[in-house]
Each structure stands twice: as C-alpha cells, then as structure tokens.
Amino acid sequence: MRAEVFAKDTQSLVAASRLLLSVGARGINVPNKATVAQNPELAPAAALHSLAAALAKTEMEGICPHYSLKFNNDARDPASTLRRFEAFCEEAASLHVREILLVSGSGSRSFDSLACLKALTLPAERRPAIGVAFNPFFPDRAARMRERARLRQKLNTGAVSAIWLQIGSDVLLLREALAFLAELRGVHPALRLYGSVFLPSRKLLAQLKFRPWNGVFLSAEYLSSVEVASTITCRVLDAYATHGVEPLLESAVRSRAEWRAAREQLGLSPDIPAALSTAEDPAADATEATEPGLSEPPLSKRPRRQSNPVAPVDAEPAAAVSPATSAGASGAAAPTACSLVWFRTFDIRLADHAPLRAAASAGAVCPCFVWPARRGTWSLGGAAQAWLREALRSLAGGLREHYSSSDYSRVDLRLASSYSVHRSRHGTEPVICRVLLLATGVAERSAQPSAAQPQEIESAITSNGESNEYPAPAERNAVPAMELVNDSGPVSQCSVSSVGAHKSQRFCAVRGGGRMAASTFSVFFLPVKAKSTYKKNGLSVLCLAREARHMVVGGAAQAWLREALRLREHYSSRLVLRAPSGGGDASDEYLAAAAAASSKVAVPRGADCAAAEAEAVTTAAELLRLADESSARAVYWHRSYEPEGQRVEAVVREALRGRGIACVAMAGALLYEPAAVHCPAGWQGGHWGTLMPFLRACERSGPPPTRPTERPVAMQPPCAWPASGALEDLRLAAPPVLSGGSVGRDWSAAMMAGWEVSEAAAARAMADFVGGGGLAGYEARRSRADEPSAVSRLSAFLRFGQLSPRALHFAVRDAGLPREQVKTFARRLHWRDLASFHLSVFPEMPWRPIRAHYASHEWSGDASALRAWQRGNTGFPMVDAGMRCLYATGWMHQSVRMVVASFLIEYLGISWVDGARWFHDTLVDADLAINSMMWQNAGRSGIDQWNFVLSPETGSQDPSGGYVRKWVPELAGLPTKHLHAPWKAPAATLSAAGVELGATYPHRIVPDLPAARRITVAALLRMRASSLDFNDAGGYDLITLPTGETTRVFTKQEFRLTASGLPKPPPNGSRGRGSARSRHTSGGGRASGRGAQLQGKVSTGQKKISSFF
C-alpha cells in the first residue's frame, strides 16, 4: 500500500516520508496543494529537492510528486505552462523520480491536463512516467461517460503510464469503472492502476460532512459511522485486489502504531491478498452497464473483508503463474481470488477475449458455459447447435493445450442428476455418483450409485473427440425419451470408461486415481425439467435450454456450436457440463434467489416469453451455485446484444450482486457498441439507419476499434473444481428419440464433415482469404457462387466468436491493398454492427415489421410452396441449388441467399418471417440480428428495402453452371445455356441429358413470374394505401423511433404513393431510383434500381448489390 504524505513545511515533509518508508509503505505520494507563492517550500520542485537531500536514491524512486495545473498554470500563456511542466519533469527525472501524477485541479481552465498531454514534446526518456487522475464516482451517468472519454483521449496521447482512481463510496460504480479500465489495460498492457482510500475516523467523517471535498462523492451511509465507512472501504479494497489496483492511503499517519492500526482497521493484515498480477492484462472494449436501482446488500449482511494466506498487500505483484508452477509440493494450488469467466455462444475463443484476460489478470480463472434446458424463443437453431457442439469441443482442447501439465491433462467427467450429489466409498478412495437428467417432458427417473459395481458404459466424450448421432431438421421437434447419465468412480485423475445405451437411459462412468487441478475450468449448464437440489462441488458453467416459444438455436448452428466448444486444443481445462432445469424444489436456495432477482428486473422488449424467463432464472441459479462452490468473487462475460441474452444478463447481474459478487460485462462481439451509437432522425447523408449515416455515427461514438489482443500467457487454477458431464449430454443437434424408442439419423455429421471448427481453423481461413488472393479478387468475383474462393466463408467463425471482429478488421486494414479492392469487404463488419444496432432499437424485429403498418400485409399461406422452397424442389435450378446447399452444409453463398429470399417473397408471396425462421434453423452462421435485418429488408418492412429483384432463372451467380451441377445433379447433363432454365430446353436436349421435367426434376411451382410478382406488389400497395398516416409527402414510409421521433425510411419508387393513395410518379418524369424493369426475357414484373438492370448480365452479376447475407 502506498501512502500520501501530509506536511506543512520541509521538515514535516521529510519526517513524514521517512516514517512511512520505515513502516513499509511501498511508495510516497507528495500532493501539490498550493502555488509557489503560497508555500514555496512545498512547491513540486522544491519538495523533491528537500526529499532528495534526505532520502536514498532507491527511496526517491518510490516518490510520486503531484503536479497540479491549477497551481502551476499561466492562464495567459499555455506555452509557458507547458514549458514549466516539462522543466519540472526533467528536474524530477534527475532526482531519480520514476513517476509523477499530473492533475488539472478543481475548476475549469483552457490548458488542463488533457491539453498539456497533447502538447507535450519532451521525450519519454527525459522524464518520469506520467499518471493521470480518474474519478469513477460521478453520480450522473453522462458525467461518468465524459470522464471515460477524457481518459481515453489522455491515453491516446501515448504519454500516460498510470491511472490514479479518486476516492468514493459507491462500490458498484467502482466495479463498473474497473471493468472499463480492464479494457484500457488490454490496449495499454503496461498501464498501472492505483486507487485511493481513506482511513475512516470520527473526525474525518465530521469534517467531510461539514465541508465536502470537491469531486469526492461519499454517500450518507458512508458518512453515518466509522464502522460503516470501514466496511465500505474494505469492499473498495476487495475490488482493488481483484483488478490489480494498488491502494493509496490518503489519511495522515504519524506513528508506527497508527500505521499498524490503519492496516488492521482496513483488514490489511500480513496475510491478506496482494494486488494481483498485471503482467497479463485484460482485453478490449469493456464496460459494465449499471442497471438503475441496483444496490449492494445491506451492510449487516456483508462479511468483513476476509484474509487470504497468499501475500501481503504491499508485496511485489506476483508474476502470472502457469498451472505447472502454481501448485505447491502437494500438488494443490495456492489459494487465490477466483473469477468465473462465462463463455457465451458468440465468444468461443481464447485470443482477444476481454473477460478471459481480465479474469486471468485478477487471479484464478474458471471459464463457464451455460446452456439451459429451456431456452428463449431465438436461441440457436439446429444447424448452429451442431457448430456449437464442435466449437465447445475445440475450446476445451484449446484450454488444455495452452495451459497443460501432467496433472491437468485428463478429463474428469462428473454428472449431477437433478442437482443431487451422492457420495460413498469405494475401497479407500471417495466415489462420486451423480445422475444427469437430460430429456424433457417425461417423468423423472433415478439411478442409485453402486460403489462395488460402478456402471461402465460408453463415454460421451471419447479421446479422439468423436461424437454420437444428431437429428435431421425434420425431426428436431421430436421430444426425446428420458435419459440419465451415471458417473461413479474415484474423484481424481480420470480415465474414461466405455459406453453403451440401455433403452432410454445412457450411463457414463469416469474413474481415476489422484486429485485433479486444472489451470482453467469451463462449465456447461444444460437445464432440464426436473426438480433439483445440488450440493457444493464445482466451478464453471455453460447452460443450454431445450424449450422455446418460436425459435431456438437452429440445428445447423447447434452442430457448429457443438464443435466450437471443444476446448481440448489449448488449456488443459475441463469443460464442465451442467443441466439446470426450469423447475426445482422450493428449497433450492439458488433457484429461489434467481427467481427473486428476475422479479426485480425489467423485462426487455423482445424477451417477454416464458421460455426466456426460464432461461434467465436457471442460468442465474447455476452461476450462483458455481460461484458459491468456488468462492468466486467476480463473474466476467461478454455482453449479448440480443433481447433474450440481455434479459439473462440482467437476472444474472441482479442475482450475483445480491450475493456481493462483482459482475463485469465486457464488449467484444462487435466493433462498436450499439448503445453508444446515436443516429439522428431524418436525412444524414442517407436515410435513417442505413449504412453510411450509421458509419458516421460510429465514428462520432468514440475512438476507432483497437487492435486485438493475444490469449493470456498463463492462468492460475482455482482451488476447487465442480462436477462435469459429457459434451454430448447437452444434446446439441442430437438425433431425436422417436416415438417408438428408435434414434433418428445423424443429420449433422455429414453437414459438419465439410467444416473444421476451431479457433485455429478460423485464423487460417482468414489468413488464406486475406493473403491468398481472395480479398484482392473479392470486389470483382464476390457474386460468383460457382467459385468457392470468391467469398471468405468466415461468417460462422464470426458468429460463434472463434474469429474476433477486430482481428478481421485489422487483417483487412493491414493487407496493404488499394481501397477500391477492399472497400466492400471491409464494410461487411460494419453491416454486421448495423444489424445489431437495428436490433437494439427494434428488439422485436425478428418477427414484427419495423415499419409497423406492414403487419397488415397479406401474405400467401401456401404451405406446399413453402415446403418446396425449403427442400429445394421449386423447379428453378438456381433456387433449388441454394436451398439444397443450405440443407446439406449449413451455409449458402451471399448472392444465392438473396436469390432464394427474393424468390420466396417476390414470387411466392410468402412472409419473410417464414424465410427467417428457416434460415435461423438451417444456417450454421445464423445470427439473429443479421438474419432479421436482411429478411426484413427483403420483405420490404425493414429500414432499407431491397432496391432490386433477383431473377431466379438467369443464373448470373453461376455462369459456369458448376454450382447447379453440384447441388442439382439431376440436371448436370444439360448444356450451360439451358441449365438454369431447363423448361426452355428443346425436348431432345432434355432427353439426351436424362432429364424429364415432372419426373426426374420438378416442374416450376411458379409458371408465370411477372404475374406472380404483380400479386405481391398489389398486396403491398393495398396495405400502404390503407395506412396513409405512415406515408409522407414524398411517398416514403414513416416509422417512429423509440425516442418518439418520426423519420422517413427508404421506400422503392414503385411502392411510393400520393396523399390520396395512388402510385406516385417518379421525380421529374424520370423512372427514378427503384423503378427499373427486370431484363430477363420471360419478365418478372417491376424490379428496382441498384442491380436490377444487371440481372441478366453474367459479366457484372450482383456487383453493385450490398448485403450481409
């Protein structure tokens, strides 16, 4: 702990400094509280010379003088003020001072600390390091945001090496600020943090009540008594210790006895935790949004700061410790502060992971992944679950590889049934037997542990990561029969036993011999419908829910998720899988606490379904349980930008804070935070919410994106580890158990066979595309579906966070290619951010039109046509090739996505909602915001109506025919000129190719495209004519923003109406933007502007079309 010296003259300055150094203060801060004229002895330079004459060189290195521009400012000549400061810096350096604190001082002045730093010309080698003050305690949020913005600007000067936090009493605001500082330390890894505290006394509190200090925000509760103030101060010190902040005591110490009393009163006994290592500091874009009305628990219910036998707080900060060296002779890791890192479905990576780095810098790390049994409406679809499954597997391997040691290299699989733990003895070693209830909708069964004859049947996680079977999309809604997992065996190093299935039950046994301790730990929660009580024994989590109102994680996305969560490549960590249920015993304190927290949280728009509430409560309950079991003092996570994810976070935050656990929510999934971006209503160089106005708003919102960070070099293991189930127990993209008890086919295996799902694969794919010619040729070739390398195929890696958006942003920027070659691809990430911005403004846009009056649009309810489209049996080869490719691989080329979407809406007249739902379930890269934005635009109800109609018959995306031949092999023998419109081919040509329309390949389900489109256009015009209150003088649609403002949004020329509801002529008698006609020979109705005239031209294709599909 450092201490601030209190002195009136040179003699008292030297005496107080010697005393503080003799009693063990790590350093001395010398304040600057008067001008040279007012107190020449204590002017900054004079004070340093006095100390230099009395102290040794090594002692002077611990002196930090303050330099206040309030008392050293020439208001008439900023250049003179700067020269004075630079001269002081050089003088301080000559006296062996290593660090100074530059402050503006109270009041306002034109040449403040920020202006001084910007103007500074003195090289770093000729001056001490410079620190700046930061006040996290402003009660007004706008003031806090201004303070943060100023701090960022100061850091951007490159002259700042340390941040000194001012005194305050609001611990929640402090924790929020520390999360923000974690971001800054990720960008500036050498940044040091210091934080001030008072030593409460009756005299001090009386003085502060009578004459509050300017800029010091202390609550009435703090000022009420010494006991309360001391307790709050201990909380502040806890927060400092968790985040590697060195305390600075700003109270006078006049004797050794007072120093000892101060340490005792503040809980700083010799065995308290030290400020933890800052060798590996947290990564980018971190803030924690403090919810209105949240507060800490009553002081009477908060424990005093506990001692921890690690190191004294004034010891040197420990270096980052690897798992291999962190254990003592007994193999047990030294006790240290533990933090949970809650992995989400969109941040399954180790590099550029802000929460992981922040937690690693604070102490022991326990990564968690929560997958509740009952999830919200828009959780991952089936395809995305398949990816998630593999991503989890990869993530587990990644943790194991990078943080491996001989003691941590095996997997301990332990499962809990309805959260119940049974213990027995097997010989002389403990045996844990737990049963995990996996399925839903049937009565609960139980399996009793057997110490003498533990069940040994096939493991759900095998040594080579092979997975079991998963269901076809058509069967995904089938409810599987009840499954149980039994784990019995000694607790320790584990060997995985073999596996088998027994009717509707599956058992998994793990056996071993010695204590396991891993450097990092991940937990996966899988909630189920079952009563649950679970005893303490674990640490990290991933929760998965099984039920939803309308849409959950799609099958393809589930398959990807499964692969993405395979952790075994990096950290020698176990991935703990848990299954929190939507119900539970009334006696379950964790569920009760989570439910109580949920009742206090405002329900976000777009997340009001019962399934979303169940997901939030069960996830919060499991995080509470794990935090309790691991004695975790903080939980770190990346923020979600989806309404249901935000509801989960709000309940988690409320529940954890109710137990006094710090919550650190950090940015990391986007380049810009949606909440920080403000798009003014009206025309801003483009219609509201379109790309260019949004880009400009992003630039105004704050500094540009910072470079990505590397994974933590090392992580400390927690002291205790929880039980774990097998990855397959999550049933991500799993095959259904049919009504007869048989298991459906593994639909995801073939789909995932074409993908390598890992963080390393994402990095290679990015490098290959950016450096291998893909990026250079993207502008000219991006519409070519018949050329696999024409696009990056990085979307799924971005969706699941295996590739950081910042990594891709800077890879493109650093490619060194001309702007003309990269501008369109470079904007893909901004389209991605724009989609999340739209979702933040219109959280119901996955199913409700943004243009509210479009809800009355008349759509076709032709289920057979929808089914033909879904299955790729429309009779239009380009459409069918795209849909079959999607179903088989979980992915589709961006231009083909627009073709099939345009066909569904423009020619089949089927609602965009049906298309969005199908894509959500079948795309491995299904992203709620992007999918919703693009389908809304395709369906005309979004912010930026598609100003084009793509022909389903020209095949301009497939000029070679290779794409259709691959996915519609029954037409492979046709000549290319007839391949995309086989009904135009002569009978002899069809016969020679073995094609019989209506037999080997279906007839077109829309024989007259122009007539079909006239029907859909007429329906839209009728709807608009009946809603003229939403039609402005120019014929454009009007929407109402959440602020209550009304703004015009782009409306195609052919849809614009006069005030009387009649079609509005184009301006100046021209056809105008958005009125071009399709040029394919069979016609297709009116098409529009950008790209419409290109529909039949192979040489240009969709070159001018912008989309993020």
Side-chain angles (χ1 to χ4, degrees), residues 643-669:
E644 290 175 351
Q646 291 171 340
R647 181 174 186 178
V648 171
E649 290 174 18
V651 175
V652 165
R653 185 183 294 111
E654 177 74 13
L656 291 173
R657 284 178 171 173
R659 297 294 182 96
I661 299 168
C663 300
V664 185
M666 311 178 84

Side-chain angles (χ1 to χ4, degrees), residues 141 145 148 152 176 179-180 183 283-291 344 346 349 354-355 637-642 646 649 653 664-679 694-706 805-806 829-830 832-841:
R141 186 178 186 278
M145 295 303 104
R148 291 186 186 186
R152 285 188 185 274
E176 176 187 335
F180 165 71
E183 164 213 348
D285 293 340
T287 56
E288 178 188 351
T290 303
E291 298 293 333
R344 318 294 295 279
F346 51 81
R349 63 177 181 269
W637 69 81
H638 273 131
R639 277 195 296 276
S640 171
Y641 303 101
E642 298 179 2
Q646 291 171 340
E649 290 174 18
R653 185 183 294 111
V664 185
M666 311 178 84
L670 302 171
L671 295 180
Y672 294 93
E673 286 289 275
V677 178
H678 173 63
C679 286
F694 173 74
L695 278 178
R696 287 187 282 271
C698 288
E699 292 167 357
R700 294 191 302 268
S701 70
T706 53
R806 295 194 307 170
L829 289 173
H830 298 298
R832 187 171 177 268
D833 278 22
L834 176 61
S836 289
F837 173 75
H838 283 182
L839 185 60
S840 72
V841 178

Side-chain angles (χ1 to χ4, degrees), residues 817-896:
L817 296 173
R819 179 180 179 277
E820 292 71 24
Q821 286 186 305
V822 302
K823 63 180 181 180
T824 300
F825 186 83
R827 287 178 179 172
R828 295 298 181 199
L829 289 173
H830 298 298
W831 276 101
R832 187 171 177 268
D833 278 22
L834 176 61
S836 289
F837 173 75
H838 283 182
L839 185 60
S840 72
V841 178
F842 302 102
E844 295 172 331
M845 78 179 205
W847 70 89
R848 181 167 295 166
I850 292 175
R851 307 183 194 212
H853 50 298
Y854 279 52
S856 62
H857 190 292
E858 299 174 15
W859 295 106
S860 168
D862 190 340
S864 62
L866 176 61
R867 183 72 171 176
W869 176 82
Q870 291 171 337
R871 294 302 184 185
N873 289 319
T874 66
F876 289 86
M878 198 66 215
V879 174
D880 294 344
M883 298 306 292
R884 295 181 190 185
C885 174
L886 169 63
Y887 197 80
T889 69
W891 187 83
M892 191 192 300
H893 185 283
Q894 60 182 7
S895 294
V896 182

Side-chain angles (χ1 to χ4, degrees), residues 71 115 136 162 247 412 644 722 745 769 1082:
F71 301 119
D412 182 12
E644 290 175 351
R745 69 182 181 89
F769 177 76
S1082 66

Side-chain angles (χ1 to χ4, degrees), residues 292-306:
L294 292 180
S295 62
E296 295 226 322
L299 290 172
S300 61
K301 296 184 179 180
R302 288 296 305 269
R304 290 280 296 184
R305 191 162 185 261
Q306 300 297 315

Side-chain angles (χ1 to χ4, degrees), residues 552-789:
V552 297
V553 180
Q558 289 184 31
W560 188 292
L561 180 60
R562 174 190 63 210
E563 295 304 315
L565 287 172
R566 298 182 190 271
L567 292 170
R568 75 181 49 173
E569 293 173 8
H570 291 282
Y571 282 81
S572 177
S573 173
R574 289 171 290 178
L575 181 61
V576 177
L577 313 179
R578 291 236 182 130
S581 70
D585 292 334
S587 60
D588 188 325
E589 61 173 304
Y590 302 107
L591 281 172
S598 179
S599 68
K600 299 177 184 178
V601 171
V603 178
R605 286 175 54 212
D608 58 350
C609 66
E613 180 182 11
E615 178 179 0
V617 170
T618 52
T619 299
E622 288 303 322
L623 287 172
L624 279 175
R625 198 186 312 276
L626 285 172
D628 192 23
E629 293 167 359
S630 62
S631 300
R633 298 195 297 187
V635 179
Y636 293 77
W637 69 81
H638 273 131
R639 277 195 296 276
S640 171
Y641 303 101
E642 298 179 2
E644 290 175 351
Q646 291 171 340
R647 181 174 186 178
V648 171
E649 290 174 18
V651 175
V652 165
R653 185 183 294 111
E654 177 74 13
L656 291 173
R657 284 178 171 173
R659 297 294 182 96
I661 299 168
C663 300
V664 185
M666 311 178 84
L670 302 171
L671 295 180
Y672 294 93
E673 286 289 275
V677 178
H678 173 63
C679 286
W683 179 268
Q684 302 290 329
H687 291 283
W688 185 92
T690 54
L691 184 63
M692 295 314 297
F694 173 74
L695 278 178
R696 287 187 282 271
C698 288
E699 292 167 357
R700 294 191 302 268
S701 70
T706 53
R707 288 192 172 271
T709 57
E710 297 298 322
R711 62 174 176 81
V713 173
M715 291 192 291
Q716 298 182 50
C719 301
W721 297 97
S724 168
L727 176 59
E728 280 65 27
D729 296 335
L730 301 179
R731 294 192 58 80
L732 290 165
V737 177
L738 304 179
S739 57
S742 61
V743 177
R745 69 182 181 89
D746 182 1
W747 62 271
S748 70
M751 182 186 73
M752 296 309 300
W755 297 98
E756 183 182 356
V757 182
S758 69
E759 188 175 350
R764 287 194 299 271
M766 178 180 71
D768 290 346
F769 177 76
V770 172
L775 179 60
Y778 182 82
E779 196 72 25
R781 299 167 54 235
R782 59 192 169 92
S783 67
R784 295 289 298 270
D786 56 341
E787 294 185 7
S789 62

